[in-house]
Amino acid sequence: MQDDQNTTHFGFKEIPTDKKVDAVAEVFHSVAAKYDIMNDLMSGGVHRLWKRHTISQSGVRAGHKVLDIAGGTGDLTMKFSRLVGKDGQVILADINDSMLKVGRDKLANRGIVGNVQCVQANAEELPFPDNTFDCITIAFGLRNVTDKSKALASMQRVLKPGGRLLVLEFSKPESECLSQAYDQYSFRLLPFMGKIIANDAESYRYLAESIRMHPDQETLKGMMEDVGFERVSYQNMTGGIVALHKGFKF
């Protein structure tokens, strides 16, 4: 969340609000090529289980229209493409063109092209008509958005009545012991892995810091309710290291 009109956080740093989009873009331009392999290494592959559970909670079926925001390299889009079938559509949206290109190429290489469209878009100002999508997902992307409330309101606007939003994001561990162990892992091992695998320790240090600056489970639940989502709930996974928030538009 912004501290005032002029500054916001970039990891643990304070920067001018109008500079954050470019700063985050530089991070993801840097990590895009190694994003998938680093996700597997950083989570021990568990991110696939988190995403699989998100899919199971989506209610997506044949003919639906789905928006995968911050869809990056296309993991969720790939699964949704199969669920919506030839009569449905999935839009893979990401603000970062480097990530979007990696995702588009990955999907094309696997023959997933007929019902998928790639769109470069800012989550705060989604370029779609009101009441367009049956389901919207944003996985590990909301914490990088400058104005999270504005982005959530934009998602609520383009969601159809009866549709649901799923926010999969790193969150606050449930126990103090787990939190301390997670801090050691995040601030010592992640930058080291980033340096070795992606030749970029600083980007992975920012990603670790951005997790700590993200709203906790109850705060994010309240933010979703404030912009009009109803029946908002969340599920902690892996001891609260990750949480899946779900909200409906009626």
Short mmCIF file of all heavy atoms in Angstrom, two decimals, residues 165-169 171 214-222 224 232-237 243-247:
data_model
loop_
_atom_site.label_atom_id
_atom_site.label_comp_id
_atom_site.label_asym_id
_atom_site.label_seq_id
_atom_site.Cartn_x
_atom_site.Cartn_y
_atom_site.Cartn_z
N LEU A 165 -13.08 -14.12 -8.18
CA LEU A 165 -11.67 -13.74 -8.24
C LEU A 165 -10.88 -14.65 -7.31
O LEU A 165 -11.30 -14.89 -6.16
CB LEU A 165 -11.48 -12.28 -7.80
CG LEU A 165 -10.03 -11.85 -7.53
CD1 LEU A 165 -9.21 -11.82 -8.82
CD2 LEU A 165 -10.00 -10.49 -6.84
N LEU A 166 -9.74 -15.13 -7.79
CA LEU A 166 -8.84 -15.93 -6.98
C LEU A 166 -7.48 -15.24 -6.94
O LEU A 166 -6.89 -14.96 -7.98
CB LEU A 166 -8.68 -17.33 -7.57
CG LEU A 166 -9.95 -18.18 -7.61
CD1 LEU A 166 -9.72 -19.44 -8.45
CD2 LEU A 166 -10.38 -18.58 -6.21
N VAL A 167 -7.02 -14.92 -5.73
CA VAL A 167 -5.73 -14.28 -5.54
C VAL A 167 -4.82 -15.27 -4.82
O VAL A 167 -5.02 -15.56 -3.63
CB VAL A 167 -5.84 -12.98 -4.71
CG1 VAL A 167 -4.46 -12.33 -4.55
CG2 VAL A 167 -6.82 -12.00 -5.37
N LEU A 168 -3.84 -15.79 -5.53
CA LEU A 168 -2.85 -16.69 -4.95
C LEU A 168 -1.59 -15.87 -4.70
O LEU A 168 -1.02 -15.30 -5.63
CB LEU A 168 -2.56 -17.85 -5.91
CG LEU A 168 -1.52 -18.88 -5.44
CD1 LEU A 168 -2.03 -19.65 -4.22
CD2 LEU A 168 -1.19 -19.85 -6.58
N GLU A 169 -1.17 -15.81 -3.43
CA GLU A 169 -0.04 -14.93 -3.13
C GLU A 169 0.68 -15.40 -1.86
O GLU A 169 0.08 -16.03 -0.99
CB GLU A 169 -0.55 -13.48 -2.94
CG GLU A 169 0.54 -12.43 -2.81
CD GLU A 169 1.51 -12.44 -3.98
OE1 GLU A 169 1.27 -11.74 -4.99
OE2 GLU A 169 2.52 -13.16 -3.85
N SER A 171 2.07 -15.00 1.78
CA SER A 171 1.38 -14.31 2.86
C SER A 171 2.15 -14.47 4.16
O SER A 171 3.37 -14.68 4.15
CB SER A 171 -0.06 -14.83 2.97
OG SER A 171 -0.87 -13.92 3.65
N HIS A 214 3.76 -7.22 1.58
CA HIS A 214 2.41 -7.50 1.10
C HIS A 214 1.44 -7.60 2.28
O HIS A 214 1.82 -8.08 3.35
CB HIS A 214 2.42 -8.82 0.31
CG HIS A 214 1.13 -9.14 -0.34
ND1 HIS A 214 0.60 -8.40 -1.38
CD2 HIS A 214 0.24 -10.14 -0.11
CE1 HIS A 214 -0.55 -8.92 -1.75
NE2 HIS A 214 -0.80 -9.98 -0.99
N PRO A 215 0.19 -7.16 2.11
CA PRO A 215 -0.78 -7.25 3.20
C PRO A 215 -0.97 -8.69 3.69
O PRO A 215 -0.92 -9.63 2.89
CB PRO A 215 -2.08 -6.72 2.56
CG PRO A 215 -1.63 -5.88 1.42
CD PRO A 215 -0.37 -6.51 0.92
N ASP A 216 -1.19 -8.85 4.99
CA ASP A 216 -1.44 -10.19 5.52
C ASP A 216 -2.84 -10.67 5.11
O ASP A 216 -3.60 -9.95 4.46
CB ASP A 216 -1.23 -10.24 7.03
CG ASP A 216 -2.22 -9.37 7.81
OD1 ASP A 216 -3.30 -9.03 7.27
OD2 ASP A 216 -1.91 -9.04 8.97
N GLN A 217 -3.17 -11.87 5.53
CA GLN A 217 -4.39 -12.52 5.06
C GLN A 217 -5.65 -11.71 5.37
O GLN A 217 -6.50 -11.50 4.50
CB GLN A 217 -4.50 -13.92 5.69
CG GLN A 217 -3.50 -14.94 5.16
CD GLN A 217 -2.21 -15.01 5.97
OE1 GLN A 217 -1.73 -13.99 6.47
NE2 GLN A 217 -1.63 -16.20 6.08
N GLU A 218 -5.78 -11.27 6.61
CA GLU A 218 -6.99 -10.54 7.00
C GLU A 218 -7.05 -9.16 6.33
O GLU A 218 -8.13 -8.70 5.95
CB GLU A 218 -7.05 -10.39 8.52
CG GLU A 218 -7.48 -11.66 9.23
CD GLU A 218 -8.92 -12.05 8.94
OE1 GLU A 218 -9.76 -11.15 8.73
OE2 GLU A 218 -9.23 -13.27 8.93
N THR A 219 -5.91 -8.52 6.19
CA THR A 219 -5.89 -7.20 5.55
C THR A 219 -6.32 -7.30 4.10
O THR A 219 -7.13 -6.49 3.61
CB THR A 219 -4.49 -6.56 5.64
OG1 THR A 219 -4.12 -6.45 7.03
CG2 THR A 219 -4.47 -5.18 5.01
N LEU A 220 -5.80 -8.29 3.39
CA LEU A 220 -6.17 -8.46 1.98
C LEU A 220 -7.64 -8.82 1.86
O LEU A 220 -8.34 -8.34 0.95
CB LEU A 220 -5.29 -9.53 1.33
CG LEU A 220 -5.58 -9.81 -0.15
CD1 LEU A 220 -5.50 -8.54 -1.00
CD2 LEU A 220 -4.61 -10.87 -0.70
N LYS A 221 -8.14 -9.64 2.75
CA LYS A 221 -9.58 -9.97 2.76
C LYS A 221 -10.41 -8.69 2.87
O LYS A 221 -11.38 -8.50 2.12
CB LYS A 221 -9.89 -10.91 3.92
CG LYS A 221 -11.35 -11.31 4.06
CD LYS A 221 -11.50 -12.34 5.19
CE LYS A 221 -12.93 -12.81 5.34
NZ LYS A 221 -13.80 -11.80 5.99
N GLY A 222 -10.01 -7.80 3.78
CA GLY A 222 -10.73 -6.54 3.93
C GLY A 222 -10.64 -5.66 2.71
O GLY A 222 -11.62 -4.98 2.35
N MET A 224 -10.39 -6.64 -0.38
CA MET A 224 -11.30 -7.20 -1.39
C MET A 224 -12.74 -6.82 -1.09
O MET A 224 -13.51 -6.45 -1.98
CB MET A 224 -11.11 -8.72 -1.47
CG MET A 224 -9.77 -9.14 -2.04
SD MET A 224 -9.46 -10.93 -1.95
CE MET A 224 -10.72 -11.57 -3.07
N VAL A 232 -16.00 -13.22 0.75
CA VAL A 232 -14.54 -13.32 0.64
C VAL A 232 -14.01 -14.27 1.72
O VAL A 232 -14.40 -14.18 2.89
CB VAL A 232 -13.87 -11.94 0.78
CG1 VAL A 232 -12.35 -12.07 0.69
CG2 VAL A 232 -14.40 -10.98 -0.29
N SER A 233 -13.15 -15.16 1.31
CA SER A 233 -12.54 -16.12 2.24
C SER A 233 -11.11 -16.38 1.80
O SER A 233 -10.70 -15.99 0.70
CB SER A 233 -13.34 -17.42 2.25
OG SER A 233 -13.32 -18.03 0.96
N TYR A 234 -10.36 -17.02 2.66
CA TYR A 234 -9.01 -17.41 2.26
C TYR A 234 -8.63 -18.75 2.89
O TYR A 234 -9.17 -19.14 3.93
CB TYR A 234 -7.97 -16.34 2.62
CG TYR A 234 -7.81 -16.04 4.08
CD1 TYR A 234 -6.97 -16.81 4.90
CD2 TYR A 234 -8.49 -14.96 4.66
CE1 TYR A 234 -6.83 -16.52 6.24
CE2 TYR A 234 -8.33 -14.67 6.00
CZ TYR A 234 -7.51 -15.45 6.80
OH TYR A 234 -7.36 -15.18 8.12
N GLN A 235 -7.72 -19.43 2.22
CA GLN A 235 -7.17 -20.69 2.69
C GLN A 235 -5.66 -20.54 2.80
O GLN A 235 -5.01 -20.13 1.83
CB GLN A 235 -7.46 -21.82 1.71
CG GLN A 235 -8.82 -22.46 1.83
CD GLN A 235 -8.93 -23.61 0.83
OE1 GLN A 235 -9.05 -23.39 -0.36
NE2 GLN A 235 -8.88 -24.82 1.32
N ASN A 236 -5.11 -20.87 3.95
CA ASN A 236 -3.66 -20.91 4.08
C ASN A 236 -3.12 -22.23 3.56
O ASN A 236 -3.72 -23.29 3.75
CB ASN A 236 -3.26 -20.75 5.54
CG ASN A 236 -3.41 -19.33 6.03
OD1 ASN A 236 -3.21 -18.38 5.28
ND2 ASN A 236 -3.77 -19.16 7.30
N MET A 237 -2.00 -22.14 2.90
CA MET A 237 -1.30 -23.33 2.42
C MET A 237 0.15 -23.27 2.89
O MET A 237 0.72 -22.18 3.03
CB MET A 237 -1.37 -23.43 0.89
CG MET A 237 -2.79 -23.65 0.37
SD MET A 237 -2.88 -23.82 -1.43
CE MET A 237 -2.91 -22.08 -1.90
N ALA A 243 -1.28 -18.00 0.64
CA ALA A 243 -2.72 -18.00 0.90
C ALA A 243 -3.47 -17.82 -0.41
O ALA A 243 -3.02 -17.09 -1.30
CB ALA A 243 -3.10 -16.89 1.88
N LEU A 244 -4.60 -18.50 -0.50
CA LEU A 244 -5.50 -18.34 -1.65
C LEU A 244 -6.75 -17.61 -1.18
O LEU A 244 -7.51 -18.13 -0.36
CB LEU A 244 -5.87 -19.69 -2.23
CG LEU A 244 -6.89 -19.65 -3.38
CD1 LEU A 244 -6.32 -18.93 -4.60
CD2 LEU A 244 -7.33 -21.07 -3.77
N HIS A 245 -6.92 -16.37 -1.66
CA HIS A 245 -8.12 -15.59 -1.35
C HIS A 245 -9.13 -15.76 -2.48
O HIS A 245 -8.77 -15.75 -3.66
CB HIS A 245 -7.78 -14.11 -1.21
CG HIS A 245 -7.15 -13.76 0.10
ND1 HIS A 245 -5.85 -14.14 0.43
CD2 HIS A 245 -7.62 -13.03 1.17
CE1 HIS A 245 -5.57 -13.69 1.66
NE2 HIS A 245 -6.62 -13.01 2.11
N LYS A 246 -10.40 -15.89 -2.09
CA LYS A 246 -11.48 -16.07 -3.07
C LYS A 246 -12.60 -15.08 -2.74
O LYS A 246 -12.98 -14.92 -1.58
CB LYS A 246 -12.00 -17.50 -3.02
CG LYS A 246 -13.17 -17.78 -3.95
CD LYS A 246 -13.41 -19.29 -4.12
CE LYS A 246 -13.71 -19.99 -2.82
NZ LYS A 246 -14.03 -21.43 -3.03
N GLY A 247 -13.08 -14.40 -3.79
CA GLY A 247 -14.19 -13.47 -3.60
C GLY A 247 -15.12 -13.54 -4.81
O GLY A 247 -14.67 -13.83 -5.93
#
